[in-house]
Amino acid sequence: MSTTHKAHCLILPYPMQGHINPMLQFSKRLQSKGVKITIAPTKSFLKTMKELPTPSVNRGHLQVIDWMANIYPMKTIGPTIPSMYLDKRLPDDKEYGMSLFKPMANECLNWLNRQPISSVVYVSFGSMAKLEAEQMEELAWGLKNSNKNFLWVVRSTEEPKLPKNFLDELASEKAISLGVPMVTMPQWSDQPTNTKLVQDVWEMGIKAKQDEKGIVRREVIEECIKLVMEEEKGNVIRGNAKKWKELARNAMDEGGVQIKTLKNLFPS
């Protein structure tokens, strides 16, 4: 009598939104191959999360995983983006995943859908980084002075750091796998490494330089935004962003690195 064994993966992500969501998305890919999945987040994360749609998101570092694979016996998987934004192999996979904060998705999407393509600056520092009040003010006015529409993710706990009357001033006023050029302002953890890759390896963005106090001033922010979005010398950056978008999509296609890795892990 033969016994059929079914693979069962236990997923143990670091309990932060930017780590759990990519693992959720990877889990959906495994599940589509017939693998049983158990995800084990911490109790504290489950208590604070606001919603649990279907799995999740983040950018796969294609070139860096390749580098690690040459040293350690590991395979590359990525980018961990909802399928409907890339390969469309999982037709119901449109959601990024869990959220530690109450999102304003509908309001943001309704506004974005009224804007011209490639006209909006998106600003986010993740779920943990905290800017000093002075940096918040410089960023706020740098964004406004760029004369570009922008969507800035500001946690409610950080709102008091915004300049006085800033929201009143705005009352009248669409990433790697998505082909978006970047302006980076690394704060901590892996962000300096990511910045190095974005600027010097992938050449699809620039780092906004700090002054002697460690503050990125409004003039620098304004200049960087205009460079990557409209100036002629930003053509290379914008072209490279589109190139990496295609490489990310190719990784997800039949014969791509992700499909090959999943087939090697779980051959049918």
Side-chain angles (χ1 to χ4, degrees), residues 119-184:
S119 69
V120 176
V121 178
Y122 174 73
V123 185
S124 176
F125 289 90
S127 57
M128 292 187 68
K130 297 180 180 180
L131 301 184
E132 297 294 334
E134 185 177 7
Q135 182 64 86
M136 287 281 282
E137 180 170 1
E138 293 296 319
L139 177 57
W141 295 122
L143 289 169
K144 183 177 184 300
N145 294 341
S146 72
N147 292 319
K148 301 290 183 183
N149 289 329
F150 61 88
L151 181 60
W152 184 4
V153 180
V154 179
R155 302 190 297 273
S156 57
T157 54
E158 297 290 283
E159 283 187 19
K161 297 179 183 178
L162 290 171
K164 292 181 180 179
N165 303 321
F166 181 67
L167 295 179
D168 294 334
E169 292 263 354
L170 297 176
S172 60
E173 310 232 340
K174 247 173 190 243
I176 290 176
S177 55
L178 298 181
V180 178
M182 300 182 189
V183 175
T184 65

Side-chain angles (χ1 to χ4, degrees), residues 131-135 137-138 187 208-217:
L131 301 184
E132 297 294 334
E134 185 177 7
Q135 182 64 86
E137 180 170 1
E138 293 296 319
Q187 302 298 305
K209 294 183 179 180
Q210 302 173 335
D211 65 8
E212 64 279 359
K213 291 180 62 178
I215 302 294
V216 180
R217 297 297 173 184

Side-chain angles (χ1 to χ4, degrees), residues 14 34 37 66 74 80 124 144 174 186 235 247 258 261-262:
Y14 185 76
I37 300 295
D66 289 344
M74 58 178 63
T80 46
S124 176
K144 183 177 184 300
K174 247 173 190 243
N235 285 339
L247 288 172
Q258 189 192 79
T261 298
L262 290 178

Side-chain angles (χ1 to χ4, degrees), residues 31-224:
Q31 192 174 45
S32 73
K33 300 297 180 182
V35 180
K36 183 178 179 180
I37 300 295
T38 298
I39 301 177
T42 62
K43 288 183 178 180
S44 60
F45 184 91
L46 291 173
K47 287 179 181 178
T48 54
M49 81 176 183
K50 300 299 180 181
E51 61 177 17
L52 178 57
T54 54
S56 74
V57 99
N58 213 350
R59 301 179 181 89
H61 298 326
L62 305 178
Q63 192 158 334
V64 182
I65 302 185
D66 289 344
W67 173 75
M68 293 182 69
N70 289 330
I71 302 175
Y72 301 104
M74 58 178 63
K75 299 293 184 180
T76 56
I77 289 291
T80 46
I81 294 279
S83 180
M84 287 304 294
Y85 298 123
L86 287 174
D87 60 314
K88 297 180 172 56
R89 291 177 177 274
L90 307 179
D92 297 326
D93 183 20
K94 299 179 181 179
E95 301 291 341
Y96 283 96
M98 299 178 175
S99 178
L100 287 171
F101 310 96
K102 185 178 179 179
M104 299 176 64
N106 290 334
E107 295 89 337
C108 292
L109 287 174
N110 289 337
W111 178 79
L112 276 172
N113 288 335
R114 298 196 300 269
Q115 312 308 316
I117 294 175
S118 301
S119 69
V120 176
V121 178
Y122 174 73
V123 185
S124 176
F125 289 90
S127 57
M128 292 187 68
K130 297 180 180 180
L131 301 184
E132 297 294 334
E134 185 177 7
Q135 182 64 86
M136 287 281 282
E137 180 170 1
E138 293 296 319
L139 177 57
W141 295 122
L143 289 169
K144 183 177 184 300
N145 294 341
S146 72
N147 292 319
K148 301 290 183 183
N149 289 329
F150 61 88
L151 181 60
W152 184 4
V153 180
V154 179
R155 302 190 297 273
S156 57
T157 54
E158 297 290 283
E159 283 187 19
K161 297 179 183 178
L162 290 171
K164 292 181 180 179
N165 303 321
F166 181 67
L167 295 179
D168 294 334
E169 292 263 354
L170 297 176
S172 60
E173 310 232 340
K174 247 173 190 243
I176 290 176
S177 55
L178 298 181
V180 178
M182 300 182 189
V183 175
T184 65
M185 291 174 55
Q187 302 298 305
W188 72 313
S189 186
D190 59 342
Q191 292 177 2
T193 301
N194 296 339
T195 289
K196 178 71 173 176
L197 291 167
V198 166
Q199 177 173 272
D200 299 333
V201 179
W202 301 326
E203 296 181 337
M204 55 171 294
I206 57 173
K207 177 182 177 181
K209 294 183 179 180
Q210 302 173 335
D211 65 8
E212 64 279 359
K213 291 180 62 178
I215 302 294
V216 180
R217 297 297 173 184
R218 62 190 73 181
E219 297 85 1
V220 174
I221 295 168
E222 179 185 352
E223 178 183 352
C224 288

Side-chain angles (χ1 to χ4, degrees), residues 206 223-231 233-234 237-238:
I206 57 173
E223 178 183 352
C224 288
I225 290 173
K226 289 182 176 180
L227 187 152
V228 300
M229 292 189 71
E230 61 185 41
E231 291 185 12
K233 60 182 178 181
I237 290 174
R238 293 190 291 272

